Amino acid sequence: MSRTKQRSPSLSRVSLQYQTLENRAMLSADGIVVADYRDDFSNAETGWSYGFNVSDRLDDQIQIASLEGSSGVLRPSNPTDDTGALMLNGTGGHPGKVSNRYAIASWTASESGVYSISDSFLGVASFGYDASDGVEVRVFVNENAALQQSVVDVDDTGFFDLTIGHLNAGDSIRVAFGSNGNHAFDRFEVDYSIRIHHDRVQSLANFRTTTDSDRSLDDHDRISQTDWRMLWNAPQGWNAEGSSGDLTTGSIDDVSSYLPLNRVDEGLLTPTGSTEFSNSPQYHLKLTSTGGHVGFGYTDSSRFNDRYVIAAHTIERSGHYSLTDSFLETSSASHDGIEIRVFVNGTDDVRASDIVLANQQRSFDVDFGNLQKGDTVYVAFGANNNHAGDRFEADFSLVRELPRAEPLRAIEAEQVLYVRDFGAIPNDRNSDVQGLTDAILEARRSELPTRIVFEDGIYNFYSTDQSSIGNPRYFFTLINQDRFEIDGQGATFVVENFDRGLFRVLDSSNVILRDFTIDYAELYRDALNPVDDLYRANTFSQGNIVSVDESSKSFVFEVDSGATIEPDDTFVSGNVDGVQAWGFLLEGDTGSRLKYNSRWHYRTTAIESLGNRRYRISVDDFTNIESGDRYVLQRRTNVGAIGVFAGAEHVSVIDVTIYSSPSAFLTAKEAAYVNVIRSNAEVLDGRWRSINADAVHGQSLRTGFWVEDSSFDAVGDDVMNFYTVPSVIVGKPVTNTITVAAVNVDVLAGVSEQLWRVGDLATFVDPTEGKTLYQSRVVAVEQIEFGHPQFGVLSTQSLTFDRPITEIRFATGPSTIDSDGFKNDTAVYNASTSQGFLVQGATLSNARRYGQFVMADDVQLVDSTYHGLTDSAIAGHNESNWPVGLYSSNVLVQNNRFLRNGFSSRYFGNDYLAGVVAFNMDRLGHEFVERDEYGLSRIEIVDNVFRGWGKTAIAARNVSGLTIENNEIFSPLGYPVSSSSGQWFAIDVQFSRDVNVLDNDLFSSVDFIREVSITEQ
């Protein structure tokens, strides 16, 4: 039972008049509504049933009795003291008399797929009394543990929107309502929708498609493939020429005995590739496009082994998998039926087994849960003793649950434009801005699906008049440009204006940027042939520290000017608008990794030229700076190479490499479905670093990034960053209505028209205490201009909610409460943003601070390598001091390799959150907070390898529903730095609930390491 929540005495009574948000299908763009509590109530044909738990259990031993009745009110058929006033009706209900007797609404899926609960509402009225202490709501599937549980106080409202995940046909979503201690006056109102997300199911292998396919199935060792491999368990010594081999060998338990079936013709496979059957072990063993026949079966199986038809699929990407849409139908002529087995890697891990007798049909759907890259799923059909008449029909599919829809990878262009025809010529040193500008304008004018094509070679982008399409900060803006592709054909784009972005995408869909290289650089030495020109990076300086003066916090810096430009005043923070200047120390004589136990950046306060490529650099801190160190000095702006902004969706960057950039590689804000595929940030030969900021930065995205098979090395900030920027309330609320502006640090800014929408779920957070005040649903949005005493007229949004806005601090001037300014004001996060992220097959290396900063929902981080990162490789927490957030939920961290991470001086000095993989909730000032029921939840850290880690391999605090399983943790870094606790931990879990730490292996003899520390709440 959840802890009792104390009702705040300052909470005003709220209206529980339920505000229907119709049309429900319009509230969320993602998914299709398949069931609705109120619309479908008591309609058995829609899959609903209603009941209560007979015993005190709500777990895998639950027993549910039905509710019955008429006139729209359902009650237990034989009420008892336990059930009391327990009931459900078309608008809500009442829980049982005791604290653990729940009213339960169940909905059963009729088809497999990924499901969610959305548009939810739960209100608890007091009826003029304060007797109730709230109603608890739990959501679970079948008899499994609750996916979510929370309490709604009396005179309050709450929400339980939730990604359920993959369900097979016949699985049930159960929402249970119980008293939070005292049951008195626990009358509640409720509504919610159930959605299916067809685009979040990736179909990998369909039995009938495979058997009817024209592709060769002879490669038994093939791993990278999309369909089933069709096999059988052959005896040792068997061959297609007629040798039966040793019939006592080749059991179904011996995976090494499996041999491929061979194609006879379209839709027919046999062991020999022929229909000439003899009385051999395979006998009539065959597969057709709809089923087949098993091999020899023996009544006396102690002597010989049955021969099975086997379908195998090797997992290419880690994640959540299911076997769906399955059936096995046996022939009426079968003597004693057919055995079906489903197992993973070997028969030591059988997930389903059954005997289907003659003339029967049976499903064998399986939810595998998380499978690891390289695991193999087997589906085997064999004789149940005798093989006579054992023909069968079957079908089944292997699917993977995705956090979002698959990416756009191609468009069908109706016209092709060549930049040469518009004056953009490679390898001529002339600016190609106008040529590409004209090509883009022609594509926009024609309104046809267009591909713009380059040639291999160097294209120069520079301008002195700051002209561009639509925005002087970007050379090229793609706006209202649908079904559009820029195909570089291997070209190199040299950008010579260090403070301008290359591409900006706005209000466009189905856009692809493909196959080119970007380098922010200037011509250093020309050659006879321009293709051989030498360029040097214009976004940073690299060199060696010649001498140091610790008393003045300065050092003499000698620049390697052949690789990078020399610094000037634009390398000093504040000298140029928007430029942030800082530097890094690098490890050893070569490589791009930052120096051990150094700061992850030193802010440049002054630069003095000493001549002969030498400069005196003054910095704000002198930690661990020594003569002889290698140093990189950045000139960082706030505009990245590629920007994808409001109104843009289904934008893909494919096969693009970047060597240098003044800021990020790809920034996306308030966009949706942005994809990065086989793209890289690389260190060019002769240089020590790559781009100056994040590789992939996602802010307040409606639907998140898909990053696949990409590598990001030596970037100047977090490698990837997924979060939502909070709104701050400007002006005093009027009942249910507030006016909001965006806030970052202490700067107010206007909000985009796309930021808040009707139906969005807002989370109101007190950042100084690190707690959620409440949630509320947006029922109306209006764009307005708001006059602020410090920031002038702001473009803001007026939001109307389904409850009064109480208990808040709002922005009235440049500073409120104390010197932390707007960071102290109530933060309003759009909980309907920053959802659905996938990173797979990536390499994140040698960056400062975090590899992956995750403040998002529905996230999968799989099959990737994280190495040389100064702080946490994966950090899953809000950041109230910036501020950004919100709290992560439903996060899978699986089958990753973490190599030598966590070694900056900041990291070693931080007992708040020092873990290579770390999840925690944050408050202003970074103090610990107690668990928040709206906070971190459903975090899985499984099948990973940790080598060379600082202080803690896995750290988690304030998490509800945490699994740490099957991880291999090897020795930490070789240079221990003490923490305040005096100990390093392989696994450190504090103040969390529903914690499962299972089968993790620690391989270290270092005596200052403790294996596990767990403190459950």
Side-chain angles (χ1 to χ4, degrees), residues 69 116 142 175 183 192 400 435 444 472 492 574 669 768 780 785 884 972 992:
S116 68
N142 300 331
V175 182
H183 66 280
Y192 59 96
R400 177 187 177 194
R444 187 178 302 164
T492 297
K669 179 180 179 181
T768 62
E785 290 187 343
V884 291
S992 297

Side-chain angles (χ1 to χ4, degrees), residues 285-314:
L285 190 152
K286 65 179 179 181
L287 276 178
T288 70
S289 60
T290 59
H293 195 292
V294 305
F296 245 65
Y298 299 92
T299 304
D300 180 8
S301 58
S302 62
R303 293 186 58 200
F304 304 116
N305 291 301
D306 293 348
R307 305 301 161 186
Y308 290 74
V309 175
I310 306 165
H313 181 92
T314 300

Side-chain angles (χ1 to χ4, degrees), residues 722-785:
F722 307 149
Y723 65 96
T724 290
V725 171
S727 296
V728 67
I729 303 169
V730 289
K732 185 177 181 179
V734 179
T735 315
N736 293 38
T737 300
I738 59 175
T739 300
V740 298
V743 62
N744 195 273
V745 193
D746 284 333
V747 178
L748 288 185
V751 294
S752 164
E753 293 182 5
Q754 285 75 24
L755 184 59
W756 289 94
R757 303 176 186 174
V758 171
D760 282 348
L761 191 59
T763 301
F764 289 75
V765 175
D766 180 348
T768 62
E769 295 299 322
K771 68 177 183 180
T772 298
L773 300 173
Y774 47 80
Q775 289 188 313
S776 189
R777 186 83 67 184
V778 177
V779 297
V781 179
E782 181 184 2
Q783 297 294 130
I784 64 172
E785 290 187 343

Side-chain angles (χ1 to χ4, degrees), residues 326-345:
S326 67
F327 77 88
L328 170 63
E329 183 175 337
T330 55
S331 166
S332 59
S334 176
H335 183 263
D336 45 15
I338 292 176
E339 178 190 19
I340 170 73
R341 287 201 212 182
V342 181
F343 50 97
V344 178
N345 294 333

Side-chain angles (χ1 to χ4, degrees), residues 35 46-51 59 62 64 104-113 115-117 138-147 162 164-176 192 194 367:
T46 59
W48 290 91
S49 62
Y50 310 91
D59 56 19
I62 186 174
I64 297 178
I104 303 171
S106 297
W107 181 82
T108 300
S110 61
E111 64 174 310
S112 63
Y115 288 85
S116 68
I117 289 177
R138 297 193 189 193
V139 181
F140 54 104
V141 174
N142 300 331
E143 290 80 32
N144 298 311
L147 297 174
L162 178 68
I164 300 295
H166 192 274
L167 301 180
N168 283 318
D171 287 340
S172 295
I173 298 172
R174 292 171 173 168
V175 182
Y192 59 96
I194 296 175
D367 183 354

Side-chain angles (χ1 to χ4, degrees), residues 308-324:
Y308 290 74
V309 175
I310 306 165
H313 181 92
T314 300
I315 300 301
E316 191 176 43
R317 308 279 192 183
S318 299
H320 192 119
Y321 288 83
S322 298
L323 197 71
T324 67

Side-chain angles (χ1 to χ4, degrees), residues 159 161-163 700-702 724-727 755-756 759-765 772 774-778 801 828-836 855-858 885-887 889 934:
F159 307 91
D161 289 14
L162 178 68
T163 296
S700 302
L701 301 184
R702 281 285 162 179
T724 290
V725 171
S727 296
L755 184 59
W756 289 94
D760 282 348
L761 191 59
T763 301
F764 289 75
V765 175
T772 298
Y774 47 80
Q775 289 188 313
S776 189
R777 186 83 67 184
V778 177
F801 294 92
V828 187
Y829 286 94
N830 190 338
S832 297
T833 62
S834 295
Q835 298 182 344
M855 296 157 280
D857 294 335
D858 295 335
L886 191 53
Y887 310 127
S889 63
Y934 297 97

